[in-house]
Amino acid sequence: PAWKGANSLELLRKATRIVIVLNDTNSRITLRIKDNGSGISDKIPQKGMGLRLMKYRAKAIRGTLDIERASPCGTQVTCTVEPGDRVAS
């Protein structure tokens, strides 16, 4: 999911910088990808499979996926999973 998120942000939103942060604490694991591109529109696209697959994959590991405009520009994608909800490999 991180590669897909980073690749989508760079190619679709004309980003010149992408920051990927992974935090693992006792209460949750958070993966945050933020770019400095033109930003996602207020209405998240329903066409295509990219965002749908990212949401599906987050749900498959019992996580949440949030996609929003970043400030002052760009897009931020955040995937959060609670440690107790991890799927065994």
Side-chain angles (χ1 to χ4, degrees), residues 12-67:
L12 298 177
R13 303 292 166 213
K14 299 178 181 169
T16 59
R17 183 171 183 209
I18 297 174
V19 176
I20 300 173
V21 177
L22 179 65
N23 289 318
D24 185 356
T25 65
N26 290 335
S27 60
R28 70 179 58 143
I29 298 170
T30 303
L31 173 66
R32 182 170 291 115
I33 304 169
K34 183 177 178 179
D35 77 2
N36 68 343
S38 60
I40 195 161
S41 66
D42 291 333
K43 184 176 180 184
I44 295 178
Q46 299 302 312
K47 295 180 183 178
M49 294 299 292
L51 295 177
R52 278 193 251 175
L53 283 173
M54 289 172 60
K55 288 182 178 187
Y56 173 82
R57 289 174 179 156
K59 188 175 179 180
I61 60 170
R62 298 185 188 122
T64 60
L65 185 78
D66 296 308
I67 303 166

